[in-house]
Amino acid sequence: MKAGLKIIEKCIKLQIISGFALLLSPFLHASTGNLVWGDDFNQAVGSTPSSANWTYDLGNNGWGNNELENYTSDAANCSVVSDPDATDGKALAITAIKTSSGGYTSARIKTEGLFSTTYGLIEARMKLPVGQGIWPAFWMLGNNINTVGWPQCGELDIMENIGSIPNKIYGTAHGPGYSGSNGIQGVYTLASGQFSSAYHTFAIQWAPNKIQWLCDGTVYQTLTPDNIPSGTTWVYNDSPFFLILNLAVGGGWPGNPDSTTQFPQTLYVDYVHVYNLTPAAPAQLGADANGLGTVDLSWTPCTYDGGSAITGYRIERASDSAFSQNLTSTDVGTATGYTDTAVTPGATYYYRVLTVTANAVSAPSPTASATPVTPGGASGSTVYFSVVSSRCFVGTGSNIGVAGIWVAGNKPITVLLRAAGPALGNLGPNSISNFLPDPMLLLYDTSGRLLATNAGWGTGASPAAVSSATTKVGAGMVFAQGSQDSAIVITLPPGGYSAQCVGASGDTGVALIEAYQVP
């Protein structure tokens, strides 16, 4: 909003922003956590916005964009109204009025000096005005604007619309080297109708080194430091940002009103909410009755970009799978393993683990259960396999080798996976002449998610680790450092897996896929 953006036709039609495509996708990332700030504009009808939340920008200086309006603090330009379409029956109405002298009045309110935030989900539910020269916006500026200036402070336009195109909204980032008409902009287009016909929710999800723009829960632009122009600076981790709502008239981007523009025009704001972000739960949890009368728990840590560092994990234990009986909760710090010693042999316990940050707690992980045994008795740990192998003729495309692996029981185990190709040609009198010279090893789970590969064609991943694991399992064909076979060492929780081997550059040949449990 600081400086008008030119409409780039290629951008609008193809939805290509600064060389990367906008992927319209559901909002499947970190969910909303606690509401940390908000205004539902539910005070008395006719009242102006709460002075505890909002202050005004005033004047008619053009605001850097050759705008025509004079911003006021008058209730006629900004006040609470009844609206049956708002969630609580009330909304803030920011109204642009054409005066008898041919000028325009409107309002621009902000939280500067009252509230600012770094990271989170920042959203507003709004119904937009319409018409040539009408320019509503919901946006943010860095608190440090008065010390470093614009655009060094950063600007995040959560929603802008030009009233002559009522079915499109724009989300834009401005920073040093990519501001004004060079701002990095995404476009969202309604499949039918226009934004003046009903309320819609406009938001950004802002995390360290990643910002996503959303309309009605759909992500339509994602920005990371990799997407800003080369040699420019990512300024969105530097300072908290404050919020701005305004309705401009005219300016370099939307152009000025004409004879078709009807006044007054009103931007209706149902609410503005700011949430911190809930971290993801650990995806996998293993519980093992270890033969010592206790239960060993281990889990895969979550990856979290929601703005608050992970402070630890919380283990919940119960005597039933619904976690309604004998529920206990233990915070265990940032370790990804824990031994539960407060258990009774022969009783079955159910466990789940949650991620904890300073601001929020995740949903629980999938449940794991274990029945501890009397010390010295049978252990809950078992050897799930000693070796699995599959000999196959491998090439490129659909010609792949596959070995199925199943980890039984309830405890993660470490596995050595190997795709032997060149080693088959180095077996002395037992050598195979048509071995695959360049095996590539890939490991998938049952949902088709790629878990690991070796480092690249014709090389092994972590040769020292692979050599150590090979020695431990006593594999028949020793994986020496520098071998052209492929190998992976990985810890797998219980479940099914598919180890696949492919060849590169049109090469084909025989390969042997091996899987060993590493003690």
Side-chain angles (χ1 to χ4, degrees):
M1 189 70 190
K2 182 69 175 182
L5 282 159
K6 298 177 181 177
I7 303 174
I8 303 171
E9 193 68 19
K10 181 179 179 182
C11 170
I12 294 174
K13 290 183 176 179
L14 300 181
Q15 296 186 338
I16 302 294
I17 305 300
S18 291
F20 64 96
L22 298 177
L23 300 178
L24 299 182
S25 60
F27 180 24
L28 298 178
H29 305 278
S31 61
T32 55
N34 300 318
L35 180 69
V36 297
W37 185 90
D39 197 330
D40 292 292
F41 305 110
N42 55 8
Q43 58 263 50
V45 171
S47 61
T48 55
S50 169
S51 60
N53 292 340
W54 304 94
T55 186
Y56 294 86
D57 276 327
L58 302 173
N60 58 352
N61 60 17
W63 301 99
N65 306 305
N66 297 314
E67 298 167 28
L68 303 179
E69 77 286 338
N70 178 36
Y71 284 132
T72 80
S73 58
D74 296 342
N77 293 119
C78 188
S79 62
V80 174
V81 297
S82 295
D83 186 349
D85 295 328
T87 53
D88 57 4
K90 295 179 182 179
L92 180 70
I94 300 178
T95 302
I97 299 170
K98 187 172 183 178
T99 68
S100 58
S101 62
Y104 305 93
T105 61
S106 188
R108 172 162 145 167
I109 60 174
K110 60 184 180 179
T111 65
E112 184 177 17
L114 301 171
F115 171 78
S116 59
T117 187
T118 305
Y119 312 135
L121 180 74
I122 301 102
E123 68 174 10
R125 185 173 185 260
M126 300 188 291
K127 184 165 55 177
L128 306 186
V130 66
Q132 169 61 38
I134 302 300
W135 186 4
F138 171 41
W139 51 301
M140 304 177 74
L141 283 172
N143 271 359
N144 56 356
I145 185 171
N146 294 322
T147 56
V148 303
W150 185 92
Q152 285 74 19
C153 66
E155 175 180 328
L156 294 172
D157 298 332
I158 301 172
M159 186 288 304
E160 291 184 283
N161 164 261
I162 53 176
S164 59
I165 310 178
N167 66 335
K168 292 183 186 292
I169 55 102
Y170 306 86
T172 311
H174 300 271
Y178 47 100
S179 62
S181 60
N182 295 314
I184 302 174
Q185 184 179 84
V187 183
Y188 183 88
T189 303
L190 282 177
S192 60
Q194 57 190 42
F195 286 103
S196 61
S197 301
Y199 277 96
H200 295 268
T201 302
F202 310 100
I204 59 168
Q205 180 179 275
W206 177 18
N209 298 320
K210 184 168 73 173
I211 304 167
Q212 294 179 303
W213 279 257
L214 303 93
C215 181
D216 295 329
T218 295
V219 175
Y220 67 92
Q221 177 178 208
T222 297
L223 183 68
T224 72
D226 292 336
N227 304 130
I228 65 176
S230 176
T232 64
T233 304
W234 178 269
V235 293
Y236 309 106
N237 301 340
D238 296 348
S239 170
F241 280 48
F242 60 89
L243 310 178
I244 306 170
L245 288 164
N246 72 286
L247 177 54
V249 179
W253 186 23
N256 293 338
D258 60 19
S259 60
T260 67
T261 311
Q262 298 182 8
F263 285 94
Q265 286 292 328
T266 299
L267 167 64
Y268 293 94
V269 186
D270 186 2
Y271 59 74
V272 180
H273 289 166
V274 178
Y275 300 86
N276 59 30
L277 298 180
T278 300
Q284 299 164 328
L285 172 65
D288 175 49
N290 56 25
L292 302 176
T294 58
V295 175
D296 289 332
L297 302 172
S298 61
W299 54 91
T300 302
C302 73
T303 55
Y304 175 53
D305 61 0
S308 296
I310 294 172
T311 57
Y313 295 94
R314 179 171 299 162
I315 295 171
E316 292 185 342
R317 188 191 74 188
S319 57
D320 67 319
S321 59
F323 288 83
S324 62
Q325 304 294 321
N326 304 309
L327 178 64
T328 64
S329 178
T330 305
D331 288 322
V332 298
T334 56
T336 57
Y338 177 75
T339 298
D340 187 4
T341 59
V343 293
T344 301
T348 298
Y349 296 89
Y350 295 85
Y351 296 91
R352 59 192 184 188
V353 62
L354 304 87
T355 307
V356 180
T357 72
N359 296 320
V361 178
S362 76
S365 70
T367 300
S369 63
T371 303
V373 298
T374 302
S379 171
S381 300
T382 57
V383 175
Y384 306 114
F385 59 78
S386 57
V387 62
V388 174
S389 64
S390 175
R391 185 176 184 271
C392 42
F393 187 83
V394 173
T396 56
S398 60
N399 191 13
I400 62 174
V402 180
I405 301 169
W406 182 260
V407 178
N410 56 18
K411 181 179 180 181
I413 64 172
T414 300
V415 176
L416 167 66
L417 300 174
R418 181 184 185 195
L424 299 179
N426 191 31
L427 297 177
N430 298 314
S431 294
I432 297 173
S433 59
N434 62 336
F435 64 86
L436 182 68
D438 56 357
M440 179 72 169
L441 187 61
L442 307 97
L443 179 67
Y444 296 87
D445 62 14
T446 53
S447 65
R449 182 168 60 102
L450 180 64
L451 302 179
T453 71
N454 60 294
W457 298 107
T459 62
S462 303
V466 172
S467 294
S468 174
T470 301
T471 300
K472 288 180 180 180
V473 302
M477 291 179 291
V478 176
F479 187 100
Q481 294 194 33
S483 167
Q484 294 301 296
D485 292 344
S486 298
I488 297 168
V489 175
I490 187 170
T491 298
L492 298 175
Y497 303 90
S498 171
Q500 299 185 6
C501 178
V502 297
S505 306
D507 291 331
T508 57
V510 175
L512 181 68
I513 302 176
E514 302 173 303
Y516 299 85
Q517 180 178 351
V518 180

